[in-house]
Amino acid sequence: MAKPLDIRELKALAKRRVPKMFFDYADSGAWTEGTYRANETDFHDIKLRQRVLVDMTRRSLATTMIGQPVSMPVALAPTGLTGMQHADGEMLAAQAAEAFGVPFTLSTMSICSIEDVASVTTKPFWFQLYVMRDRDFVKNLIDRAKAAKCSALVLTLDLQILGQRHKDLRNGLSAPPKFTPKHIWQMATRPLWCLEMLKTQRRSFGNIVGHAKNVSDLSSLSSWTAEQFDPQLSWENVAEIKEMWGGPLILKGILDVEDAKMAARTGADAIIVSNHGGRQLDGARSSISMLPRIVDAVGDQIEIHLDGGIRSGQDVLKAIALGAKGTYIGRPFLYGLGAMGKDGVTLALEIIRKELDITMALCGKRDISDIDRDVISD
Ligand code: HOC
């Protein structure tokens, strides 16, 4: 296959290289997947203004997210089980992001651990935290993120209970996982993936196994995970985590104006307008459709980021135009990783950078700081 030209082509390649159960894990949304789809399609409904005869010679995409310099306003989102798209996936993606000058966010539910990622990077990465019911474990994770010199904590608020993803249930990707001969076959038909996976020892949740109380193998891990998301998580807990962490804090999973107002009062550094990639509340609005209202309500009080549905540089530009200071890509980098390992993550970032740069120029803008609602057509 020729070198992929856009994220859609990277996705097609990943589908051919990654065993179905793991490709589907990345590619799934909750229930009917309506919100998952809306995250993407609502971007298509936003139209840009084409401008001409503007000097476009010197252009810059560089900006900051929570005051930290980024080469473009795109971070890699925290994604669970990334090391199952490709062996050592989190380490490879972190290296690609570092070389590109954009933040990498390691998920609590990653395969490679905080220490694994720290061992192959030279600049700070961000760490995403789920507040588990075992608060000693949460404290342990925060201490490890501090020891690894993570430069931001991304606290996820929209997963107090796990949404239902039909593809995962059909694929047996549940707690505990149900392995059948079908899975062996799915893996056997992906020999390159298997070869890489055989070379690494990292095939389980690296932040959890050996760190959480009584979690030593797959079966103890499954039962632990199933009961650990905290249905009683509260704004008081957010304040406690902020205190415990003591560094830059980003609150992820805000999709409602009232919640955005509460989040702004916490003193966090940023919020991420997000519906967890359509993986939690099916029927919720898309992230991009909620962005303008949230910006209007709290944009003068807190920095606003957006995640969900970004598949191109045009989407990044639209989110920035509607008030986001930064955006996150999850699936686009996972497709790159599944398709071509570290080179694929780099390619996903290159594709988005090129699209963003050309789109910005054709909208008559030369610097990312010049992008505002003016580039959106009525
Ligand atoms: C079995 C554990 O962010 C996702 C992740 C977190 C889920 C943990 C599942 O898939 O949305």
Side-chain angles (χ1 to χ4, degrees):
M1 186 181 179
K3 185 174 164 183
L5 290 175
D6 60 20
I7 299 301
R8 209 173 31 95
E9 290 185 2
L10 261 185
K11 176 176 174 175
L13 192 52
K15 192 169 182 176
R16 284 168 31 193
R17 301 241 165 121
V18 178
K20 180 173 166 30
M21 66 189 297
F22 298 121
F23 176 83
D24 280 356
Y25 174 77
D27 197 38
S28 55
W31 288 320
T32 68
E33 301 192 331
T35 297
Y36 168 30
R37 281 192 299 275
N39 273 349
E40 288 185 38
T41 53
D42 283 358
F43 269 109
H44 305 163
D45 294 339
I46 299 168
K47 303 298 174 200
L48 298 169
R49 284 176 68 200
Q50 171 181 300
R51 302 301 306 276
V52 296
L53 305 188
V54 179
D55 179 1
M56 296 169 187
T57 36
R58 257 185 258 118
R59 301 188 298 279
S60 171
L61 301 177
T63 181
T64 59
M65 287 172 76
I66 55 162
Q68 301 178 17
V70 291
S71 64
M72 65 176 175
V74 178
L76 299 197
T79 50
L81 280 77
T82 303
M84 285 295 155
Q85 300 301 316
H86 189 286
D88 298 337
E90 291 89 355
M91 292 157 78
L92 301 179
Q95 288 178 316
E98 177 173 304
F100 217 86
V102 295
F104 170 76
T105 318
L106 182 71
S107 167
T108 293
M109 307 306 291
S110 58
I111 302 297
C112 303
S113 67
I114 299 174
E115 294 77 14
D116 288 332
V117 174
S119 73
V120 295
T121 49
T122 58
K123 294 190 198 122
F125 55 96
W126 294 355
F127 180 65
Q128 175 271 339
L129 181 72
Y130 281 120
V131 183
M132 303 299 199
R133 281 147 73 119
D134 179 347
R135 295 296 206 267
D136 289 340
F137 174 66
V138 170
K139 166 97 177 50
N140 167 274
L141 277 176
I142 290 180
D143 288 345
R144 290 164 61 199
K146 282 185 193 172
K149 303 209 170 1
C150 291
S151 57
L153 188 73
V154 176
L155 182 59
T156 298
L157 306 180
D158 60 3
L159 205 135
Q160 288 177 253
I161 60 167
L162 191 62
Q164 182 171 312
R165 298 117 192 216
H166 286 179
K167 284 182 189 147
D168 290 348
L169 293 176
R170 290 280 172 257
N171 286 329
L173 201 63
S174 49
K178 297 185 185 65
F179 285 115
T180 65
K182 191 174 72 180
H183 297 125
I184 311 284
W185 173 248
Q186 284 177 9
M187 292 189 203
T189 55
R190 299 292 186 272
L192 285 177
W193 182 93
C194 289
L195 269 179
E196 294 297 329
M197 211 45 96
L198 285 172
K199 286 193 233 156
T200 184
Q201 297 299 312
R202 299 178 189 90
R203 296 188 213 107
S204 194
F205 292 101
N207 289 325
I208 300 172
V209 177
H211 294 278
K213 220 181 302 158
N214 303 327
V215 182
S216 53
D217 57 17
L218 194 58
S219 117
S220 51
L221 170 74
S222 298
S223 39
W224 184 88
T225 310
E227 65 183 30
Q228 277 299 323
F229 293 109
D230 186 352
Q232 291 186 311
L233 190 66
S234 66
W235 289 106
E236 286 72 37
N237 296 144
V238 172
E240 286 158 16
I241 298 291
K242 183 173 184 299
E243 173 83 20
M244 213 184 277
W245 166 244
L249 180 68
I250 303 174
L251 301 180
K252 177 172 183 283
I254 301 293
L255 200 69
D256 185 88
V257 167
E258 292 312 310
D259 287 342
K261 288 180 184 165
M262 296 291 284
R265 277 184 224 130
T266 63
D269 296 82
I271 57 173
I272 309 180
V273 176
S274 169
N275 50 32
H276 214 100
R279 298 162 75 79
Q280 286 291 95
L281 178 62
D282 188 38
R285 280 189 184 277
S286 67
S287 302
I288 193 66
S289 71
M290 285 309 296
L291 179 66
R293 295 174 225 196
I294 292 179
V295 168
D296 290 344
V298 298
D300 56 347
Q301 298 159 46
I302 190 164
E303 185 167 308
I304 298 175
H305 300 170
L306 176 130
D307 126 313
I310 292 197
R311 299 291 178 271
S312 68
Q314 289 92 312
D315 297 340
V316 174
L317 185 110
K318 289 171 184 176
I320 301 298
L322 293 175
K325 182 81 171 83
T327 63
Y328 295 74
I329 52 166
R331 294 180 180 97
F333 97 80
L334 292 178
Y335 298 146
L337 188 63
M340 302 158 67
K342 182 170 153 183
D343 289 346
V345 179
T346 303
L347 181 58
L349 287 165
E350 279 169 1
I351 286 170
I352 286 180
R353 178 172 60 190
K354 188 165 191 184
E355 291 168 341
L356 176 58
D357 179 48
I358 294 176
T359 307
M360 183 173 78
L362 293 175
C363 287
K365 304 284 185 184
R366 289 189 304 179
D367 195 289
I368 212 76
S369 63
D370 296 334
I371 307 294
D372 56 18
R373 288 192 194 185
D374 193 42
V375 303
I376 306 288
S377 172
D378 302 334

